[in-house]
Amino acid sequence: MPFDMLHFAEDMHCHEIHMVIDEPTGLEGVIAIHDTTLGPALGGCRFIEYSSTEDAVKDAIRLAQGMTYKASIAGLDLGGGKAVLLKPKKIIDRKAYFQAFGRFVHQLNGRYITAEDSGTDTQDMDDIASVTPYVCCTSVQKKFSVADPSPLTARGVKKGIESTVRFKGGSSLVGLHIAIQGLGHVGYNLASFLNAAGARLTVFDVDTARVKRCVDEFGAKSVTSLDALLKTPADVFAPCALGGVFDERTIDLLKAPIIAGAANNQLVEPKHGDYLQQKGVLYAPDFVVNGGGLLYVAAQYTQSSEEETIARIDGIYNTLEEIFKRSKESQIATHSIACLMAEERIKKTPKNRP
Ligand code: NAI
């Protein structure tokens, strides 16, 4: 069956899709605005290669929906959107390319606010800012004491782990065994925080230098494959690499009774959230646990203070507690409860569309 873009968007409750083309610069992309009930749609600008326009459109819509949920559950007055730019084989003038993109963003009159994402950097955001104010992560915006969101994302993940452990009857992280997949910006900071809190670590990353750093600095044990990490009898499994980790096969291998980590889109499909519940695994929904990144970026735009932002990030603990309680009472998987909670807030808010 040929791909039906509008029906796909409708199924995902995505309200707007804008196709952007600028021949002189080679710009081709999609801006998906999923929902603006709570406020302007904030979401990064992804600049990677796609094998087809269909893949790019699907990615933009799915990611925009994820941003709607993430903003809603984080208590932000923001909607969800995403830009996906199809990276050309060769880019002639990167500055002109991102300025052309910025002009498209500007035409949306602030319904979509763009930001850094895979493949884009601060310079690109500065170039966009030269033609529109609807951008964050620029070099001139107010900076926190940390220059990128990862330490704050890791702080939120640690709060998430504490909340899951508490819900399972534990009292602290001291002596707990935590398996971390992915030791990049977030995973490394998380390992550092957990080590400082007295946890024992087993780690895996495809980049062996990153593994060595955690072994040397935190006394972590290491394994050499994802399967080996899944089979590690840890108390918590923290996915901090890429998405798509959990399907029937990997869930069957998993020994840890808790999952809480930073990676986006950890479940291959929503049904795998149900499977985790059937298996008695407490799953902290990814878009709740990793909300620190969005809170950091949003603060750059709304000029919220660092203290206020940190307090919201620490609030991930309580949000998860509520999700777990509702999940236990209703016997509905935590992932579905988190989606319901995000949708409830949107439904309660009057629509503000022209
Ligand atoms: P990163 O790119 O700095 O680190 C990812 C790490 O995962 C790298 O060390 C890489 O070698 C490793 N990796 C890749 N594939 C792997 C595999 N199959 N098995 C094991 N390791 C693998 O990314 P970052 O910024 O640390 O983000 C990690 C995850 O958290 C991503 O899914 C990202 O979308 C998500 N996230 C990050 C936020 C942030 O503030 N950086 C905010 C919210 C979500």
Side-chain angles (χ1 to χ4, degrees):
M1 267 244 288
F3 173 57
D4 186 329
M5 183 171 73
L6 285 179
H7 280 146
F8 183 80
E10 201 178 351
D11 284 349
M12 303 286 284
H13 307 291
C14 180
H15 294 150
E16 296 176 43
I17 313 163
H18 300 270
M19 310 299 287
V20 297
I21 299 169
D22 183 66
E23 282 181 41
T25 57
L27 170 70
E28 288 180 350
V30 190
I31 300 174
I33 299 181
H34 181 263
D35 194 291
T36 54
T37 309
L38 297 174
L42 174 66
C45 168
R46 199 163 265 207
F47 181 55
I48 55 177
E49 285 180 24
Y50 282 89
S51 52
S52 69
T53 310
E54 177 179 332
D55 287 352
V57 169
K58 282 183 176 167
D59 214 19
I61 294 173
R62 284 200 190 107
L63 291 164
Q65 185 196 46
M67 293 309 293
T68 297
Y69 284 3
K70 203 182 273 202
S72 174
I73 203 107
L76 287 164
D77 292 332
L78 289 169
K82 206 84 178 184
V84 159
L85 306 181
L86 291 93
K87 190 174 180 179
K89 289 272 174 273
K90 193 165 168 239
I91 186 157
I92 306 147
D93 182 343
R94 190 165 174 127
K95 185 184 176 80
Y97 180 101
F98 279 99
Q99 283 177 330
F101 170 66
R103 281 191 286 276
F104 278 108
V105 171
H106 196 67
Q107 281 170 20
L108 299 172
N109 286 320
R111 289 203 307 292
Y112 169 65
I113 302 157
T114 199
E116 230 176 287
D117 203 295
S118 310
T120 52
D121 59 24
T122 311
Q123 182 59 54
D124 299 329
M125 297 306 120
D126 284 351
D127 293 336
I128 294 169
S130 69
V131 295
T132 181
Y134 304 123
V135 54
C136 45
C137 306
T138 66
S139 60
V140 294
Q141 273 163 351
K142 198 173 112 188
K143 292 283 185 240
F144 286 3
S145 55
V146 285
D148 82 277
S150 311
L152 291 182
T153 303
R155 181 183 175 115
V157 176
K158 177 170 170 269
K159 285 283 163 197
I161 292 175
E162 285 167 354
S163 187
T164 51
V165 167
R166 182 88 195 103
F167 196 75
K168 281 271 191 185
S171 55
S172 91
L173 300 183
V174 177
L176 282 195
H177 183 186
I178 300 180
I180 308 179
Q181 180 206 13
L183 303 165
H185 290 92
V186 182
Y188 171 77
N189 279 293
L190 179 66
S192 168
F193 295 158
L194 294 173
N195 175 57
R200 288 185 297 128
L201 306 176
T202 298
V203 298
F204 168 60
D205 194 298
V206 287
D207 182 334
T208 50
R210 293 186 172 177
V211 172
K212 187 174 180 312
R213 185 164 66 150
C214 285
V215 171
D216 292 348
E217 291 183 22
F218 312 130
K221 290 206 169 116
S222 67
V223 292
T224 52
S225 70
L226 171 60
D227 284 7
L229 195 68
L230 290 163
K231 287 186 210 159
T232 301
D235 298 297
V236 179
F237 187 95
C240 298
L242 306 177
V245 186
F246 297 109
D247 57 16
E248 278 89 355
R249 189 192 75 83
T250 53
I251 293 170
D252 285 344
L253 290 180
L254 181 72
K255 286 276 184 298
I258 291 173
I259 298 170
N264 276 312
N265 304 325
Q266 292 169 25
L267 305 175
V268 172
E269 288 181 58
K271 68 177 182 187
H272 297 118
D274 301 332
Y275 192 49
L276 284 169
Q277 194 205 21
Q278 282 166 32
K279 302 272 284 188
V281 177
L282 185 61
Y283 171 63
D286 45 15
F287 67 88
V288 183
V289 189
N290 69 18
L294 174 62
L295 283 161
Y296 174 97
V297 172
Q300 309 290 305
Y301 189 76
T302 59
Q303 297 293 302
S304 304
S305 69
E306 186 160 355
E307 295 70 37
E308 198 183 321
T309 303
I310 287 175
R312 278 177 183 263
I313 290 171
D314 290 351
I316 288 172
Y317 184 104
N318 290 338
T319 306
L320 283 173
E321 194 172 54
E322 190 183 340
I323 291 168
F324 298 151
K325 279 188 189 149
R326 283 180 61 168
S327 168
K328 195 174 173 184
E329 280 159 20
S330 62
Q331 288 303 304
I332 295 174
T334 53
H335 173 76
S336 305
I337 292 288
C339 293
L340 277 174
M341 281 168 61
E343 284 163 9
E344 278 166 11
R345 186 168 168 238
I346 294 166
K347 280 187 190 136
K348 271 193 240 150
T349 308
K351 295 269 179 239
N352 193 18
R353 277 194 236 132

